[in-house]
Amino acid sequence: MGWEQSGMRSLILNSPKSSLTTPLKRKEGHQESELFTSTISRRRWVEVDLDRYYTPISLAEELLLKEFRGEACVAVDSTCGTGNLLAAASNVYRETQCIGLDRDRNAISALRRKNPGWILSVGEILKDRSYKSTLAANAGARCDLLLLNPPFSQGNQKSVQVTYEGHHLKSSIAMANILKSLELFKPKNGAMVIAPESVLFSELDAAARHYIESRYSIHIIGELHNETFRGARVRSTAIKILPGVKAKGSSVNTISVADSIKVNLVRGSMPVHFAKSGRGRDSIPFVHSTDLKDLVLGQQPSSIKIGASRNGRVSGHVVLLTRVGIPKLDFIQPLELHEETQLSDCLFALCCSSKTKAITAARRIRANYSNLLDIYRGTGARYVTVQRLKNWLLEYGFEVN
Ligand SMILES: C[S@@+](CC[C@H](N)C(=O)[O-])C[C@H]1O[C@@H](n2cnc3c(N)ncnc32)[C@H](O)[C@@H]1O
């Protein structure tokens, strides 16, 4: 099952100042150190601030209007903070019962004063004993729509142990909040989640994604501009989680013919031990999987001498994928090879007609990264065959030569 880029292309929001960009951009980890330059009380800063990027109400309203058109009689936010997501639901849907949980006592007190009709409790969603007896947890059993913008990180803690439906696993903090909220509230119409992009792609959250996808389908709505959350540098994504498992291959239905990307698929052929470094008339640039990091950083491949002519030479705009060994997400990038380059037998190239096409191709592959990993098989080193890769590319809207 994959992370579908549902309706991303159609989701150019009305307002010119809309916070949503489309399509999804390059993955970046959470750069905590960039956020806080002061060394004084650095830890406290992190703990407090990272938890408090409240969602602008107008953005939440836009997302709800676009993505959840039906009525939401009971809307729940398990990390409600200032209640912006609930306020948006209450503005968009008529007669909505808003239910909120937050560990911040002050935030809940302020919210109670502002919205006496809402059911609000102090509690920690990641601690069973803290929320179980709360009014919010009990009333939330009738949840129609779950709204979430969980904390992305807490201090130096990047991962937590979490239990979901009896499975013990490790995940990011944001993902743990998503899991526990889904488990507790079982939203009838699904969930709208603002989360770091990493919950979609990271190794750390792979197990969590697997368990979520056994009950729900996950759709990427779009990427949020960095400025959406004042001071935040994290790449955030708006996600829709709908009840029910997505039919295999259904994501292809969301990619129209107009969106198809033409690529020429080239398999490398030179065993790396045949490649001898050197320069001369018969030398040609050579790329092996171990060179991908340097290429992504902007270097051009170095030359080697090649005796006989080999298949698997490419130039121009390409995306390189490993044939042997799991591809690294960060290395799936558009590249430009200035000269004809020999690929090692551990690589594939997707040759594109322009830089824009290569950017789009890399982006689409990255957005479906977890599915891509499924086609790398093998008991020893995992590898992919030309046919399996070709089928996968076709499924994801590529036209392959
Ligand atoms: C990023 S803010 C989002 C608030 C609100 N959902 C919004 O979008 O405006 C995260 C909130 O989660 C709360 N929080 C963090 N960890 C929590 C936990 N384990 N249980 C409940 N609330 C938590 C923080 O107090 C903070 O108010």
Side-chain angles (χ1 to χ4, degrees), residues 209-361:
R209 288 194 297 271
H210 170 78
Y211 289 121
I212 292 180
E213 285 178 330
S214 66
R215 288 174 190 269
Y216 298 91
S217 61
I218 299 146
H219 309 253
I220 301 169
I221 301 171
E223 180 184 324
L224 303 173
H225 283 308
N226 284 348
E227 313 88 71
T228 307
F229 302 94
R230 251 175 3 117
R233 297 270 180 86
V234 187
R235 269 189 204 287
S236 319
T237 307
I239 302 165
K240 184 163 74 166
I241 299 180
L242 299 178
V245 176
K246 198 170 25 169
K248 193 155 173 51
S250 62
S251 55
V252 75
N253 299 332
T254 64
I255 298 168
S256 73
V257 177
D259 296 324
S260 75
I261 305 166
K262 276 191 190 160
V263 292
N264 192 15
L265 180 63
V266 176
R267 182 195 188 283
S269 67
M270 160 135 322
V272 70
H273 55 269
F274 280 16
K276 294 196 183 78
S277 61
R279 291 191 176 276
R281 272 201 319 149
D282 56 350
S283 73
I284 176 172
F286 173 75
V287 181
H288 183 50
S289 6
T290 48
D291 302 317
L292 290 178
K293 187 176 176 190
D294 289 340
L295 293 188
V296 166
L297 291 173
Q299 289 181 23
Q300 284 293 306
S302 50
S303 298
I304 56 148
K305 284 187 178 156
I306 292 174
S309 152
R310 293 257 172 192
N311 293 328
R313 292 183 179 184
V314 294
S315 61
H317 297 285
V318 296
V319 178
L320 299 181
L321 286 178
T322 50
R323 185 183 69 80
V324 182
I326 295 288
K328 284 209 167 115
L329 179 67
D330 287 345
F331 297 169
I332 304 174
Q333 300 292 348
L335 302 170
E336 186 175 3
L337 299 171
H338 298 315
E339 289 179 58
E340 186 170 65
T341 300
Q342 175 68 53
L343 300 177
S344 91
D345 60 354
C346 291
L347 286 176
F348 282 112
L350 273 62
C351 302
C352 305
S353 57
S354 67
K355 184 177 176 178
T356 317
K357 289 269 190 296
I359 292 170
T360 317

Side-chain angles (χ1 to χ4, degrees), residues 50-56 77-85 101-104 107 123-127 147-152 154 177 194 229:
L50 283 178
D51 280 0
R52 287 193 180 150
Y53 294 127
Y54 301 119
T55 317
D77 182 348
S78 52
T79 55
C80 65
T82 51
N84 286 4
L85 289 175
L101 185 78
D102 202 289
R103 68 178 183 183
D104 184 337
E124 290 216 19
I125 189 70
L126 298 184
K127 290 187 184 157
L147 302 166
L148 272 182
N149 173 5
F152 286 15
Q154 279 164 34
N177 277 273
I194 313 282
F229 302 94

